[in-house]
Amino acid sequence: MHKVLMTGHAETSLGAFDFKVGNWNDGIGLMVRDTGAGDRGFNGAGIWPTVEKAQQIADQTAKRLLDPNCAIVWTAISN
């Protein structure tokens, strides 16, 4: 990832995930890392056409793996 644009965090009693969204050669990169106490060892990455699509995929991942009602708290990274 060339430049991180924002980070996100989702946490429930079932676990936690950290997300990074940033510029990549061919689009917008999304990195996902399992950071919960019950670490399942899940890590992933993908390239998406827009920041909004990367955030949508992150949201779907958190809801599928943690809890359908959880929300990601996003923080923009300033220059």
Side-chain angles (χ1 to χ4, degrees), residues 26-30 45-51 53-54 57:
D26 297 330
I28 300 297
L30 169 64
I47 304 297
W48 304 99
T50 65
V51 169
K53 183 63 177 179
I57 296 301

Side-chain angles (χ1 to χ4, degrees), residues 4-76:
V4 175
L5 302 172
M6 62 183 60
T7 61
H9 182 77
E11 187 169 350
T12 70
S13 61
L14 299 175
F17 286 97
D18 284 330
F19 301 89
K20 288 183 183 178
V21 174
N23 292 323
W24 195 254
N25 289 342
D26 297 330
I28 300 297
L30 169 64
M31 297 174 66
V32 182
R33 187 169 61 108
D34 187 342
T35 56
D39 186 352
R40 296 171 293 262
F42 178 85
N43 294 298
I47 304 297
W48 304 99
T50 65
V51 169
E52 292 79 15
K53 183 63 177 179
Q55 287 180 294
Q56 178 186 12
I57 296 301
D59 187 59
Q60 290 171 358
T61 300
K63 288 181 181 331
R64 186 177 72 246
L65 296 177
L66 292 176
D67 184 314
N69 298 311
C70 78
I72 299 173
V73 177
W74 291 101
T75 303

